[in-house]
C-alpha cells in the first residue's frame, strides 16, 4: 500500500470511528448533529494530513478521495441512525 492510500485511508478510518462513537454516545435524535461535526472534523483532518505529506502532485485527487470516502461512511451511518429512529 502506497503512502497516498494510507493518507486517504486514515481519514476513512477516522470517519468510521466518529460514526461508531456517535452511535454509542449521542442521545437519540441528536445523531445528525454529531455526524455533521464528524464531517467537519474529517475535513480538517484531511487538509492537515494532505498538507503534512508535503507533496503537491495529486493533492486535489487525494483530498477529494479522502472527503468522498468520509462522506460515504457518514452517509451510511446517517441512514442506519434514521432506520433506528423509525423503530
Amino acid at each position: 500500500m502506497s503512502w497516498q492510500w494510507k493518507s486517504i485511508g486514515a481519514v476513512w478510518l477516522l470517519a468510521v470511528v466518529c460514526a461508531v462513537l456517535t452511535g454509542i454516545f449521542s442521545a437519540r435524535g441528536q445523531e445528525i448533529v454529531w455526524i455533521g461535526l464528524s464531517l467537519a472534523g474529517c475535513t480538517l483532518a484531511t487538509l492537515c494530513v494532505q498538507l503534512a505529506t508535503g507533496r503537491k502532485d495529486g493533492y486535489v485527487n487525494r483530498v477529494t478521495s479522502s472527503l468522498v470516502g468520509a462522506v460515504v461512511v457518514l452517509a451510511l451511518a446517517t441512514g442506519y441512525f434514521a432506520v433506528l429512529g423509525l423503530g
Side-chain angles (χ1 to χ4, degrees):
M1 180 183 278
S2 67
W3 62 269
Q4 291 101 339
W5 283 108
K6 289 180 184 175
S7 66
I8 293 168
V11 176
W12 293 356
L13 182 62
L14 175 64
V16 170
V17 169
C18 287
V20 169
L21 291 176
T22 296
I24 292 171
F25 293 115
S26 68
R28 290 289 165 232
Q30 295 297 313
E31 293 95 346
I32 194 70
V33 173
W34 291 102
I35 290 291
L37 291 173
S38 298
L39 181 58
C42 287
T43 301
L44 292 174
T46 294
L47 296 175
C48 290
V49 167
Q50 298 306 329
L51 288 174
T53 63
R55 303 209 183 216
K56 64 181 180 178
D57 297 332
Y59 173 77
V60 173
N61 290 334
R62 291 191 313 270
V63 168
T64 302
S65 298
S66 295
L67 290 179
V68 167
V71 165
V72 168
V73 168
L74 295 174
L76 290 172
T78 301
Y80 177 75
F81 296 139
V83 169
L84 282 180
L86 295 175

